[in-house]
Amino acid sequence: MLPTVTRLLAPLAEVDDRGVRSIDGPMVSWRSHIQDAANLAALLASRLDPAKPPHVGVLLGNTPLFSSLLVAAGISGVVPVGLNPTRRGAALSRDISHADCQLVLTDAGLASYGEDAIPAATPVLDVTAPAWSAELAGFGGSPVRFADRAAEDLFMLIFTSGTSGDPKAVRCTHEKVAGPGVMLAQRFGLTADDIFYLSMPLFHSNAVMAGWAPAVAARGSIVLRRKFSASAFIDDARRASATYANYVGKP
């Protein structure tokens, strides 16, 4: 049977001694993290038009909320769209429209993205605002249900770098994400005892397929840095007691 993100996540719903945290934050157990994802999925379901693709634009740093959204994608079928925060103005607006985003989640002030960065008809949810916290609290304790997802089902849209024209939204299926996760965990002998330091941006395939997915497949713990820092990389790895990290050479 081909792997899916859903199948990789299901055993973690009962795990209390490992989990996810930011480099400066407390650890949240996998059980609680998956509950947070179920709450998030319920909120998004209340916002999304079921007659349209369930695409949610993501303008977030590497935070536990971004990981929660990936978990929500695995258990519910919502489709995160990794938006590149280095895009600005009309270029970013074009990406959002191109990927049929019904709404956008952000943790940064929209002013930094320039005028006309968000299509006029696309709702933006600021996850740092009190209104977001209040709305999410209303979905606390939502049932944790693992949808029946197939390997070929869409998990996420990830944009190309745009070196040969406008970036293109690439369909990443469950198998495309879960497969590398399982392969890398097996190749490097990764286990539940490993701690995975993720500093590459989660809107990019490298972080999702070679960072987040192996951690889920190995059932280890994840430590996130909101934004990559070359100068802090070694210190962070030591602070996190990391046993696994991934990066691309240019940074």
Coordinates of all heavy atoms in Angstrom, one line a residue, residues 152-207:
E152 N -2.9 9.3 -4.4 CA -3.0 10.2 -5.5 C -3.8 11.5 -5.2 O -3.8 12.4 -6.0 CB -3.6 9.6 -6.8 CG -5.0 9.1 -6.7 CD -5.2 7.7 -6.2 OE1 -4.2 7.2 -5.6 OE2 -6.3 7.2 -6.4
D153 N -4.4 11.6 -4.0 CA -5.1 12.8 -3.7 C -4.2 14.0 -3.5 O -3.1 13.8 -3.0 CB -5.9 12.5 -2.4 CG -7.2 11.6 -2.6 OD1 -7.6 11.5 -3.8 OD2 -7.7 11.1 -1.6
L154 N -4.7 15.1 -3.8 CA -3.9 16.4 -3.6 C -3.7 16.7 -2.1 O -4.7 16.7 -1.4 CB -4.6 17.5 -4.3 CG -3.9 18.9 -4.3 CD1 -2.6 18.8 -5.0 CD2 -4.8 19.9 -4.9
F155 N -2.4 16.9 -1.8 CA -2.1 17.3 -0.4 C -1.8 18.8 -0.3 O -2.3 19.5 0.6 CB -0.9 16.5 0.1 CG -0.4 17.0 1.4 CD1 -1.1 16.6 2.6 CD2 0.7 17.7 1.6 CE1 -0.7 17.0 3.9 CE2 1.2 18.1 2.8 CZ 0.5 17.8 4.0
M156 N -1.1 19.4 -1.3 CA -0.6 20.7 -1.1 C -0.2 21.3 -2.5 O 0.1 20.5 -3.4 CB 0.6 20.8 -0.2 CG 1.2 22.1 0.1 SD 2.6 22.0 1.3 CE 2.9 23.7 1.6
L157 N -0.3 22.6 -2.7 CA 0.2 23.2 -3.9 C 1.5 24.0 -3.5 O 1.5 24.8 -2.5 CB -0.8 24.2 -4.5 CG -2.1 23.6 -5.1 CD1 -3.0 24.7 -5.6 CD2 -1.8 22.6 -6.2
I158 N 2.6 23.7 -4.2 CA 3.9 24.4 -3.9 C 4.3 25.1 -5.2 O 4.4 24.4 -6.3 CB 4.9 23.4 -3.4 CG1 4.5 22.8 -2.1 CG2 6.3 24.1 -3.3 CD1 5.4 21.8 -1.5
F159 N 4.7 26.3 -5.1 CA 5.1 27.1 -6.3 C 6.5 26.8 -6.7 O 7.4 26.6 -5.8 CB 4.9 28.6 -6.1 CG 3.5 29.1 -6.3 CD1 2.6 29.1 -5.3 CD2 3.1 29.4 -7.6 CE1 1.3 29.6 -5.5 CE2 1.8 29.9 -7.8 CZ 0.9 30.0 -6.7
T160 N 6.8 26.8 -8.0 CA 8.1 26.7 -8.5 C 8.8 28.1 -8.2 O 8.2 29.0 -7.9 CB 8.2 26.5 -10.0 OG1 7.5 27.5 -10.7 CG2 7.5 25.1 -10.4
S161 N 10.1 28.1 -8.5 CA 10.9 29.3 -8.1 C 10.7 30.5 -9.1 O 11.0 31.6 -8.8 CB 12.4 29.0 -8.1 OG 12.8 28.5 -9.3
G162 N 10.2 30.2 -10.3 CA 9.9 31.2 -11.3 C 11.1 31.7 -12.1 O 11.1 32.8 -12.6
T163 N 12.1 30.8 -12.2 CA 13.3 31.3 -12.9 C 13.1 31.3 -14.4 O 13.9 32.0 -15.1 CB 14.5 30.3 -12.6 OG1 14.1 29.0 -12.8 CG2 14.9 30.4 -11.1
S164 N 12.1 30.6 -14.9 CA 11.9 30.6 -16.3 C 10.5 31.2 -16.7 O 9.9 30.8 -17.6 CB 12.0 29.2 -16.9 OG 11.1 28.4 -16.2
G165 N 10.0 32.2 -15.9 CA 8.7 32.8 -16.1 C 8.0 32.8 -14.8 O 8.6 32.6 -13.7
D166 N 6.7 33.1 -14.8 CA 5.9 33.2 -13.6 C 5.9 31.9 -12.9 O 5.9 30.8 -13.5 CB 4.5 33.6 -13.9 CG 4.3 35.1 -14.2 OD1 5.1 35.9 -13.7 OD2 3.4 35.4 -15.0
P167 N 6.0 31.9 -11.5 CA 6.0 30.6 -10.8 C 4.7 29.8 -11.1 O 3.6 30.4 -11.3 CB 6.0 31.1 -9.3 CG 6.6 32.4 -9.3 CD 6.2 33.0 -10.6
K168 N 4.8 28.5 -11.1 CA 3.7 27.6 -11.4 C 3.4 26.8 -10.1 O 4.3 26.4 -9.4 CB 4.1 26.7 -12.5 CG 4.4 27.4 -13.8 CD 5.0 26.5 -14.8 CE 5.4 27.2 -16.1 NZ 6.5 28.2 -15.8
A169 N 2.1 26.7 -9.9 CA 1.6 25.9 -8.7 C 1.7 24.4 -9.0 O 0.9 24.0 -9.9 CB 0.2 26.4 -8.3
V170 N 2.5 23.7 -8.4 CA 2.7 22.3 -8.6 C 1.9 21.5 -7.7 O 1.9 21.7 -6.5 CB 4.2 21.9 -8.5 CG1 4.4 20.4 -8.7 CG2 5.1 22.7 -9.4
R171 N 1.2 20.5 -8.2 CA 0.3 19.6 -7.4 C 1.2 18.6 -6.7 O 1.9 17.8 -7.3 CB -0.7 18.8 -8.3 CG -1.8 19.7 -8.9 CD -2.6 18.9 -9.9 NE -3.0 17.6 -9.4 CZ -4.1 17.4 -8.7 NH1 -4.9 18.4 -8.4 NH2 -4.4 16.2 -8.2
C172 N 1.2 18.6 -5.4 CA 1.9 17.7 -4.6 C 0.9 16.7 -3.9 O 0.1 17.2 -3.0 CB 2.7 18.4 -3.5 SG 4.0 19.5 -4.2
T173 N 0.9 15.5 -4.3 CA -0.1 14.5 -3.8 C 0.4 14.0 -2.4 O 1.5 14.2 -2.0 CB -0.2 13.3 -4.8 OG1 1.1 12.7 -4.9 CG2 -0.6 13.8 -6.1
H174 N -0.4 13.2 -1.8 CA -0.1 12.6 -0.5 C 1.2 11.7 -0.7 O 2.1 11.7 0.1 CB -1.2 11.7 0.0 CG -2.2 12.5 0.8 ND1 -2.3 12.3 2.2 CD2 -3.1 13.4 0.5 CE1 -3.2 13.1 2.7 NE2 -3.7 13.8 1.7
E175 N 1.2 10.9 -1.8 CA 2.4 10.1 -2.0 C 3.6 10.9 -2.3 O 4.7 10.5 -1.8 CB 2.1 9.2 -3.3 CG 3.3 8.2 -3.5 CD 3.1 7.4 -4.8 OE1 2.1 7.7 -5.6 OE2 3.9 6.6 -5.1
K176 N 3.5 12.0 -3.0 CA 4.7 12.9 -3.3 C 5.3 13.4 -2.0 O 6.5 13.6 -1.9 CB 4.2 14.0 -4.2 CG 5.4 14.9 -4.6 CD 6.4 14.2 -5.5 CE 7.4 15.1 -6.0 NZ 8.5 14.4 -6.8
V177 N 4.5 13.6 -0.9 CA 5.0 14.1 0.3 C 5.4 12.9 1.3 O 6.5 12.9 1.9 CB 4.0 15.0 1.0 CG1 4.4 15.4 2.4 CG2 3.8 16.3 0.2
A178 N 4.5 12.0 1.4 CA 4.7 10.9 2.3 C 5.8 9.9 1.9 O 6.6 9.4 2.7 CB 3.4 10.1 2.5
G179 N 5.9 9.7 0.5 CA 7.0 8.8 0.0 C 8.4 9.2 0.4 O 9.1 8.4 0.9
P180 N 8.8 10.5 0.1 CA 10.1 10.9 0.5 C 10.3 10.9 2.0 O 11.4 10.6 2.5 CB 10.2 12.3 0.0 CG 9.2 12.4 -1.2 CD 8.1 11.5 -0.8
G181 N 9.2 11.2 2.8 CA 9.3 11.1 4.2 C 9.7 9.7 4.7 O 10.6 9.6 5.5
V182 N 9.0 8.7 4.2 CA 9.3 7.3 4.6 C 10.7 6.9 4.1 O 11.5 6.3 4.8 CB 8.2 6.4 4.0 CG1 8.6 4.9 4.2 CG2 6.9 6.7 4.6
M183 N 11.0 7.3 2.8 CA 12.3 6.9 2.3 C 13.5 7.5 3.1 O 14.4 6.7 3.4 CB 12.4 7.3 0.8 CG 13.7 7.0 0.1 SD 15.0 8.2 0.3 CE 14.3 9.6 -0.6
L184 N 13.4 8.8 3.4 CA 14.5 9.4 4.1 C 14.6 8.9 5.6 O 15.7 8.7 6.1 CB 14.3 10.9 4.1 CG 14.6 11.6 2.8 CD1 14.1 13.0 2.8 CD2 16.0 11.5 2.4
A185 N 13.4 8.6 6.2 CA 13.5 8.1 7.6 C 14.1 6.7 7.6 O 14.9 6.4 8.5 CB 12.1 8.0 8.1
Q186 N 13.8 5.9 6.6 CA 14.4 4.6 6.5 C 15.9 4.7 6.1 O 16.8 4.0 6.7 CB 13.7 3.7 5.5 CG 12.3 3.4 5.9 CD 11.5 2.6 4.8 OE1 11.9 2.6 3.7 NE2 10.4 2.0 5.2
R187 N 16.3 5.5 5.2 CA 17.6 5.6 4.7 C 18.6 6.0 5.8 O 19.7 5.5 5.9 CB 17.7 6.6 3.5 CG 19.2 6.8 3.0 CD 19.2 7.7 1.8 NE 18.6 7.0 0.6 CZ 18.6 7.5 -0.6 NH1 19.0 8.8 -0.8 NH2 18.0 6.8 -1.6
F188 N 18.1 7.0 6.6 CA 19.0 7.5 7.7 C 18.8 6.9 9.0 O 19.4 7.3 10.0 CB 18.9 9.0 7.8 CG 19.3 9.8 6.5 CD1 18.5 10.5 5.8 CD2 20.6 9.7 6.1 CE1 18.9 11.2 4.6 CE2 21.1 10.4 5.0 CZ 20.2 11.1 4.3
G189 N 17.9 5.9 9.1 CA 17.6 5.2 10.3 C 17.0 6.1 11.4 O 17.3 6.0 12.6
L190 N 16.1 7.0 10.9 CA 15.5 7.9 11.9 C 14.4 7.2 12.7 O 13.7 6.4 12.1 CB 14.9 9.1 11.1 CG 16.0 9.9 10.2 CD1 15.3 10.9 9.3 CD2 17.0 10.5 11.1
T191 N 14.3 7.6 13.9 CA 13.3 7.0 14.8 C 12.6 8.0 15.6 O 12.8 9.2 15.5 CB 14.0 6.0 15.8 OG1 14.7 6.7 16.7 CG2 14.9 5.0 15.0
A192 N 11.7 7.5 16.5 CA 11.0 8.4 17.4 C 11.9 9.1 18.4 O 11.5 10.1 19.0 CB 9.9 7.6 18.2
D193 N 13.1 8.7 18.5 CA 14.1 9.4 19.4 C 14.7 10.6 18.8 O 15.4 11.4 19.5 CB 15.2 8.4 19.9 CG 14.6 7.3 20.8 OD1 13.7 7.6 21.5 OD2 15.2 6.2 20.7
D194 N 14.5 10.8 17.5 CA 15.2 11.9 16.8 C 14.4 13.2 16.9 O 13.2 13.2 17.1 CB 15.4 11.5 15.3 CG 16.5 10.6 15.1 OD1 17.7 11.0 15.3 OD2 16.3 9.4 14.7
I195 N 15.2 14.3 16.9 CA 14.7 15.6 17.0 C 15.0 16.3 15.7 O 16.2 16.4 15.3 CB 15.3 16.4 18.2 CG1 14.8 15.7 19.5 CG2 14.8 17.8 18.2 CD1 15.4 16.3 20.7
F196 N 14.0 16.8 15.0 CA 14.2 17.4 13.6 C 14.1 18.9 13.7 O 13.1 19.5 14.1 CB 13.0 16.8 12.7 CG 13.1 15.4 12.5 CD1 12.7 14.5 13.5 CD2 13.5 14.8 11.3 CE1 12.7 13.1 13.4 CE2 13.5 13.4 11.1 CZ 13.1 12.6 12.1
Y197 N 15.2 19.5 13.3 CA 15.3 21.0 13.3 C 14.9 21.5 11.9 O 15.6 21.1 10.9 CB 16.7 21.4 13.7 CG 16.9 22.9 13.5 CD1 16.1 23.9 14.2 CD2 17.9 23.4 12.7 CE1 16.3 25.2 14.0 CE2 18.2 24.8 12.6 CZ 17.4 25.7 13.2 OH 17.6 27.0 13.1
L198 N 13.9 22.2 11.8 CA 13.4 22.7 10.5 C 13.5 24.2 10.4 O 12.9 25.0 11.1 CB 11.9 22.4 10.3 CG 11.6 21.0 9.7 CD1 12.1 19.9 10.6 CD2 10.0 20.8 9.5
S199 N 14.4 24.7 9.5 CA 14.6 26.1 9.3 C 14.4 26.5 7.9 O 14.3 27.7 7.6 CB 16.0 26.5 9.8 OG 17.0 25.9 9.0
M200 N 14.4 25.6 7.0 CA 14.0 26.0 5.6 C 12.5 26.3 5.5 O 11.7 25.7 6.3 CB 14.3 24.8 4.7 CG 15.8 24.5 4.5 SD 16.7 25.7 3.4 CE 17.4 26.7 4.7
P201 N 12.1 27.2 4.6 CA 10.7 27.7 4.6 C 9.7 26.6 4.2 O 9.9 25.9 3.2 CB 10.7 28.8 3.6 CG 11.9 28.6 2.8 CD 12.9 27.9 3.6
L202 N 8.7 26.4 5.0 CA 7.7 25.4 4.8 C 6.8 25.6 3.6 O 6.0 24.8 3.2 CB 6.8 25.2 6.0 CG 7.5 24.4 7.1 CD1 6.7 24.5 8.4 CD2 7.7 22.9 6.8
F203 N 6.9 26.8 2.9 CA 6.2 27.0 1.6 C 6.9 26.3 0.5 O 6.4 26.3 -0.7 CB 6.0 28.5 1.3 CG 7.2 29.3 1.1 CD1 7.9 29.2 -0.1 CD2 7.7 30.1 2.1 CE1 9.0 29.9 -0.4 CE2 8.9 30.8 1.8 CZ 9.5 30.8 0.6
H204 N 8.1 25.7 0.8 CA 9.0 25.2 -0.3 C 9.0 23.6 -0.1 O 8.9 23.1 1.0 CB 10.4 25.8 -0.1 CG 11.3 25.4 -1.3 ND1 12.1 24.3 -1.3 CD2 11.5 26.1 -2.4 CE1 12.8 24.3 -2.5 NE2 12.5 25.4 -3.1
S205 N 9.2 23.0 -1.2 CA 9.2 21.5 -1.2 C 10.3 20.9 -0.4 O 10.1 19.8 0.2 CB 9.3 21.0 -2.7 OG 10.5 21.4 -3.3
N206 N 11.5 21.5 -0.3 CA 12.6 21.0 0.5 C 12.2 20.8 1.9 O 12.4 19.7 2.5 CB 13.8 21.9 0.4 CG 14.9 21.4 1.2 OD1 15.0 21.8 2.4 ND2 15.8 20.6 0.7
A207 N 11.6 21.8 2.5 CA 11.2 21.7 4.0 C 10.1 20.7 4.2 O 10.1 20.0 5.2 CB 10.9 23.1 4.5

